[in-house]
C-alpha cells in the first residue's frame, strides 16, 4: 500500500487483486458452515447445538461432510467481492491521505482506523447483496436448499422486495469497525514489531494477521451475531415478523437466552478468524511481491519494445536521408 514500500507500489486494482486472491485461498482452506457459529434462536431448523463440536457432529450426521461446506460457492464469491472492494478502496483512500500531507508519513493509529472504516463502508454498499444471499443460503434447512440465483430471487420476492438485498446494511456499516480494527492493528503491530521491514516472512504475516483478527472479532462479536440475524430467515418464534434493526435482534437474543448468548459462537469465530486472516495476510504479502515482480517485468518488456521501435524508426529515417535524390 502507499507509503509502505520502497519499491514502486501496486496500483489499487493490483493491491485489491492480491487481497482478494489471499482471501479466496484462505477461506477455501478454512470453510466453516455458518450454522455452526450462529446463535441458536436465529437458525431456521429446530436442531439445538450445545457447542461448536456438537454442531459439526450433528451437521455431518444430518447432511454429511458436504453439509459443512453448504453455500461455499456463494461464500467464496462474497469473500472475493468484499475483499477486492475493501483493498481497492483502502489503497485509494490511504494513498490520497498520505499524498495530501505536507510531509508524507504513515497515518497514526486513529487515522489508520478511520481510513479502514471509510474503505470498509464504501465496500459494504457494493457487496452486501452477495453477503445477504450467501447468509440465507447457509442457514437454509436441509430440505429447502437453493442455488445462489434462486436464493436471490427468494429474497427479492419476499415482503422486503429489492431493498431486501441490502438488509442489514446499517448493521454492516456499524461492523466496519471490524476490518478497521483488524487492518489498523495489523499496521500498528507491523510497525512496532518489524519497524522498517519491507517484506515480512510468511510466519510473521500469519501471526500479525491472526492477532489483529482475534482482537477485532472479540470486540465486534455481538454485532456479527446481530447481522446474521438480520440476514437470515425469520425464526419461527417471531411468526414471520422480520427484524428491523440489529438492536432488535440483540434484544431478542438477550430476551430468549440472556446477554451471554450475544457471544455464542465466539470460539469458532475467533478460531476461523485467526486461521483465515493469518492465511489471508500471509498469502496477500506473497501475492503483492509476485504482482510487483510481474508488473516490473511487463514495464521492462514494454520499455524494451518501445526502445526497439524508436531504434527502428531512427534507422528508417537515416536510410531515407541517405537515399539518392
Amino acid at each position: 500500500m502507499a507509503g509502505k514500500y520502497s519499491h514502486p507500489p501496486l496500483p489499487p486494482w493490483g493491491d485489491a487483486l492480491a487481497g482478494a486472491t489471499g482471501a479466496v485461498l484462505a477461506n477455501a482452506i478454512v470453510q466453516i458452515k455458518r450454522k455452526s457459529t450462529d446463535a441458536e434462536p436465529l437458525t431456521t431448523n429446530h436442531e439445538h447445538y450445545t457447542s461448536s463440536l456438537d454442531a459439526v457432529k450433528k451437521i455431518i450426521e444430518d447432511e454429511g461432510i458436504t453439509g459443512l461446506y453448504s453455500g461455499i460457492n456463494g461464500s467464496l464469491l462474497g469473500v472475493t467481492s468484499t475483499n477486492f472492494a475493501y483493498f481497492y478502496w483502502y489503497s485509494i483512500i490511504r494513498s490520497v491521505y498520505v499524498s495530501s500531507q505536507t510531509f508524507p508519513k504513515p497515518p497514526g493509529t486513529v487515522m489508520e482506523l478511520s481510513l479502514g472504516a471509510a474503505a470498509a463502508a464504501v465496500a459494504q454498499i457494493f457487496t452486501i447483496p452477495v453477503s445477504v444471499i450467501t447468509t440465507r443460503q447457509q442457514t437454509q434447512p436441509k430440505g429447502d436448499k437453493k442455488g445462489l440465483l434462486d436464493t436471490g430471487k427468494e429474497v427479492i420476492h419476499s415482503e422486503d422486495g429489492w431493498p431486501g438485498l441490502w438488509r442489514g446494511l446499517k448493521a454492516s456499516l456499524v461492523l466496519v469497525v471490524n476490518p478497521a480494527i483488524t487492518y489498523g492493528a495489523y499496521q500498528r503491530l507491523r510497525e512496532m514489531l518489524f519497524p522498517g521491514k519491507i517484506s515480512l516472512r510468511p510466519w510473521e504475516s500469519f501471526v500479525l494477521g491472526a492477532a489483529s483478527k482475534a482482537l477485532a472479532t472479540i470486540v465486534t462479536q455481538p454485532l456479527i451475531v446481530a447481522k446474521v440475524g438480520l440476514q437470515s430467515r425469520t425464526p419461527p418464534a417471531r411468526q414471520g415478523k422480520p427484524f428491523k434493526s440489529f438492536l432488535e435482534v440483540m434484544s431478542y437474543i438477550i430476551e430468549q437466552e440472556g446477554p451471554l448468548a450475544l457471544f455464542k459462537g465466539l470460539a469458532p469465530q475467533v478460531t476461523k478468524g485467526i486461521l483465515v486472516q493469518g492465511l489471508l495476510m500471509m498469502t496477500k504479502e506473497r501475492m503483492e511481491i509476485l504482482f510487483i515482480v510481474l508488473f516490473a517485468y511487463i514495464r521492462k518488456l514494454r520499455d524494451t519494445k518501445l526502445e526497439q521501435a524508436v531504434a527502428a524508426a531512427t534507422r528508417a529515417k537515416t536510410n531515407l536521408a541517405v537515399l539518392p535524390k
Side-chain angles (χ1 to χ4, degrees):
M1 294 177 188
K4 191 170 68 175
Y5 302 109
S6 60
H7 46 63
L10 287 171
W13 67 267
D15 199 51
L17 187 58
T21 302
V24 169
L25 293 176
N27 279 272
I29 294 172
V30 190
Q31 168 70 16
I32 298 178
K33 186 176 182 180
R34 177 91 66 176
K35 195 182 293 184
S36 66
T37 59
D38 277 350
E40 188 271 335
L42 303 181
T43 59
T44 54
N45 64 24
H46 301 285
E47 191 75 66
H48 178 71
Y49 304 128
T50 58
S51 67
S52 299
L53 290 178
D54 180 57
V56 170
K57 179 182 177 182
K58 288 181 177 178
I59 290 171
I60 292 176
E61 289 176 352
D62 187 42
E63 303 178 34
I65 294 293
T66 56
L68 295 174
Y69 295 85
S70 176
I72 187 173
N73 293 333
S75 178
L76 292 182
L77 175 61
V79 164
T80 302
S81 61
T82 299
N83 281 273
F84 185 93
Y86 176 82
F87 285 111
Y88 180 83
W89 288 109
Y90 180 78
S91 180
I92 290 178
I93 292 172
R94 195 173 194 273
S95 297
V96 170
Y97 171 79
V98 172
S99 61
S100 68
Q101 303 299 298
T102 305
F103 301 101
K105 60 180 180 180
T109 301
V110 175
M111 183 53 65
E112 191 76 71
L113 292 174
S114 300
L115 296 176
V122 175
Q124 280 294 328
I125 293 173
F126 290 100
T127 61
I128 194 171
V130 178
S131 176
V132 169
I133 294 172
T134 55
T135 298
R136 180 72 66 92
Q137 261 195 311
Q138 292 179 327
T139 55
Q140 288 169 344
K142 182 181 178 181
D144 194 24
K145 297 293 184 184
K146 294 183 176 69
L148 192 68
L149 292 178
D150 288 337
T151 303
K153 291 178 181 177
E154 180 185 86
V155 174
I156 294 171
H157 294 155
S158 68
E159 66 177 72
D160 289 332
W162 282 95
L165 292 174
W166 280 267
R167 172 175 283 276
L169 178 60
K170 291 181 180 178
S172 295
L173 291 178
V174 174
L175 269 172
V176 299
V177 297
N178 188 292
I181 293 172
T182 300
Y183 296 108
Y186 182 90
Q187 293 290 350
R188 294 280 73 80
L189 288 172
R190 177 173 182 161
E191 292 170 7
M192 289 170 56
L193 301 178
F194 309 105
K197 194 167 186 178
I198 297 174
S199 297
L200 299 179
R201 296 176 181 176
W203 71 266
E204 294 171 339
S205 299
F206 183 92
V207 170
L208 291 182
S212 59
K213 187 61 177 181
L215 174 63
T217 301
I218 291 171
V219 172
T220 60
Q221 178 64 10
L223 296 177
I224 293 173
V225 172
K227 179 187 175 185
V228 171
L230 279 171
Q231 297 178 339
S232 302
R233 286 186 174 184
T234 306
R238 286 181 61 85
Q239 299 179 341
K241 182 182 178 181
F243 293 109
K244 298 299 183 182
S245 69
F246 68 94
L247 288 178
E248 186 178 358
V249 179
M250 294 170 72
S251 297
Y252 175 81
I253 294 173
I254 293 173
E255 179 183 337
Q256 294 292 317
E257 293 194 65
L260 290 180
L262 292 174
F263 292 89
K264 177 176 284 189
L266 179 62
Q269 280 280 9
V270 170
T271 302
K272 179 184 177 182
I274 287 174
L275 292 173
V276 170
Q277 195 67 27
L279 291 171
L280 189 160
M281 298 310 297
M282 181 175 71
T283 307
K284 182 177 182 293
E285 292 281 345
R286 299 303 100 189
M287 292 303 298
E288 283 183 350
I289 294 174
L290 176 63
F291 286 147
I292 288 170
V293 172
L294 177 62
F295 290 165
Y297 173 76
I298 293 174
R299 282 194 295 268
K300 182 178 179 181
L301 191 63
R302 182 183 60 190
D303 292 343
T304 300
K305 289 185 176 180
L306 181 61
E307 290 174 359
Q308 290 175 346
V310 170
T314 302
R315 286 196 300 270
K317 184 177 180 181
T318 302
N319 292 336
L320 287 173
V322 299
L323 288 175
K325 296 183 180 180

